[in-house]
Amino acid sequence: MRDQSKIEPKTLGRRIIEGDRLALARGLTRVENRTPEGRELLDFLFHQTGSAVRIGLTGPPGSGKSTLVSWLARKFRERGHQVGILAIDPTSPFTGGAILGDRIRMGDLAGDAGVFIRSMATRGHQGGLSATTYEASEVLEAAGFDRIIIETVGVGQSELEIASAADTTLVILVPESGDAIQVMKAGVMEIGDIFVVNKYDRQGGDHLLKEIHAILDLSPPDRHDFWKPMVLSTTASMGTGVDELMDAIQAHTESREFDETEREKIRRQKIRARMRLLLSGRLLDEAWSQILEVRLNEVLDRVVERSISPYAWIDGMVAEISRRGWQE
């Protein structure tokens, strides 16, 4: 078998489109490592994207996100969809890789050829996602997966980035943990399309459900006129409420499709935000490699000696870059 690490991006891209799972895994690795070959691959695959539905799940650790993901994947498969799963895990301080391994937690899906599971490490990226989560979802979409489920790392109050990556955002909460108050603090009420009280059979489940309803009633007007956030209950360990959750996801998907003007507006907003993020990252990388790293090394001794503050140096560098541009 040919060594796929030596396959050029366009050839690898064609194999991904044709359904080669080994090529898909290799392509995702190139994208996650942010290699030049990965960027070329994304460029080649871009024309194959634009129609998949992305479902994001966020919530605290222990809320049952992985169990719900397994149920959603099975239900989507029953409806004839191809399902890609991106499970964002904390980063190992030793290897830089994902340390929880959702392939183990979702082992019941491993034998289904219509499901592809990829664990991705945050690698220090904030917001509950990996830096290349959306790009990885595009690779999955090009490979034929029309339903892509993204599970955040579950770090609590920094999970807001999922709203920019997902078409439908599920906020998973559990009783007996004060989650509703934390949700208000974190601003998650503004990103949730569907709120799910999981482990509803526990004591306090009904109280949490009512509390979320009350918070939504007091919240500012809905972000979009076409959808009012829903609040549902599930007990994922027994599969209770999953069918109702699937119906809610379908309703949200159809509501976006029905209102073409609103759908186009949301699409443009998300694409613009993503392009700005990509551009700022590339410009920072270029500035660092061309100017900033050398200058930082030059001034480091002075900062250590307290002869210049880091704040003054940063202000000076920003002013110089603005004045001279990116070229020396």
Side-chain angles (χ1 to χ4, degrees):
M1 181 179 295
R2 185 177 177 184
D3 182 359
Q4 301 226 10
S5 65
K6 299 179 181 178
I7 297 176
E8 61 97 22
K10 290 184 179 179
T11 300
L12 189 64
R14 283 190 286 268
R15 293 189 179 185
I16 289 172
I17 294 170
E18 292 168 358
D20 185 329
R21 292 293 184 262
L22 184 57
L24 173 58
R26 176 64 64 182
L28 286 169
T29 297
R30 291 186 181 186
V31 168
E32 189 173 5
N33 289 338
R34 304 173 77 177
T35 65
E37 295 81 7
R39 288 196 293 270
E40 187 176 343
L41 176 66
L42 288 168
D43 180 61
F44 179 79
L45 295 175
F46 186 74
H47 69 285
Q48 296 286 334
T49 67
S51 60
V53 176
R54 292 165 173 80
I55 300 96
L57 284 82
T58 186
S63 58
K65 296 190 298 296
S66 294
T67 305
L68 275 173
V69 167
S70 295
W71 273 109
L72 293 178
R74 288 197 292 270
K75 294 294 183 180
F76 277 129
R77 290 293 293 134
E78 290 173 5
R79 299 185 183 193
H81 296 290
Q82 300 287 304
V83 182
I85 300 172
L86 295 174
I88 315 303
D89 280 335
T91 301
S92 165
F94 303 105
T95 66
I99 64 175
L100 294 183
D102 285 83
R103 295 175 186 272
I104 298 173
R105 287 182 282 162
M106 302 176 192
D108 57 325
L109 301 172
D112 189 338
V115 177
F116 188 93
I117 305 170
R118 178 78 174 200
S119 293
M120 299 181 69
T122 57
R123 301 189 182 187
H125 186 73
Q126 300 300 310
L129 300 180
S130 162
T132 54
T133 298
Y134 195 90
E135 288 77 6
S137 77
E138 288 188 319
V139 179
L140 288 174
E141 184 176 0
F145 295 97
D146 62 330
R147 292 295 183 273
I148 299 171
I149 303 174
I150 303 171
E151 178 193 348
T152 71
V153 69
V155 294
Q157 296 189 28
S158 62
E159 306 276 295
L160 307 184
E161 194 175 311
I162 186 64
S164 64
D167 299 304
T168 299
T169 301
L170 312 184
V171 178
I172 316 300
L173 305 169
V174 289
E176 304 170 351
S177 61
D179 283 324
I181 302 301
Q182 293 304 314
V183 164
M184 283 193 295
K185 291 180 180 178
V188 177
M189 302 306 293
E190 284 73 33
I191 70 165
D193 298 306
I194 302 170
F195 293 85
V196 181
V197 177
N198 193 31
K199 305 182 182 180
Y200 184 69
D201 56 331
R202 287 186 178 183
Q203 182 179 359
D206 187 57
H207 176 74
L208 178 57
L209 196 73
K210 292 177 180 178
E211 192 173 9
I212 296 171
H213 274 295
I215 293 171
L216 286 172
D217 289 341
L218 294 173
S219 297
D222 298 334
R223 289 171 295 143
H224 309 300
D225 294 335
F226 69 95
W227 181 257
K228 180 177 176 60
M230 298 179 67
V231 185
L232 302 174
S233 62
T234 60
T235 303
S237 60
M238 298 185 292
T240 306
V242 177
D243 287 327
E244 291 78 5
L245 178 55
M246 285 291 296
D247 291 340
I249 294 171
Q250 183 64 28
H252 185 255
T253 300
E254 291 176 352
S255 71
R256 294 168 61 93
E257 293 174 350
F258 179 76
D259 193 328
E260 177 62 34
T261 300
E262 188 69 20
R263 182 179 64 171
E264 183 63 23
K265 176 183 174 182
I266 295 171
R267 181 188 297 119
R268 290 179 65 87
Q269 287 175 343
K270 290 192 173 185
I271 289 176
R272 185 183 188 279
R274 194 165 150 261
M275 290 181 68
R276 179 176 178 177
L277 181 65
L278 290 170
L279 181 61
S280 63
R282 287 293 300 278
L283 289 176
L284 179 59
D285 288 344
E286 288 296 317
W288 179 257
S289 62
Q290 294 184 27
I291 302 174
L292 299 181
E293 187 171 18
V294 173
R295 295 293 183 84
L296 179 58
N297 290 335
E298 291 174 349
V299 79
L300 191 58
D301 286 342
R302 295 178 61 198
V303 174
V304 171
E305 295 167 356
R306 296 297 194 274
S307 63
I308 184 174
S309 79
Y311 316 106
W313 179 77
I314 290 171
D315 287 343
M317 284 304 306
V318 171
E320 181 178 341
I321 291 172
S322 298
R323 183 175 64 253
R324 297 176 56 186
W326 299 105
Q327 300 299 321
E328 281 283 357

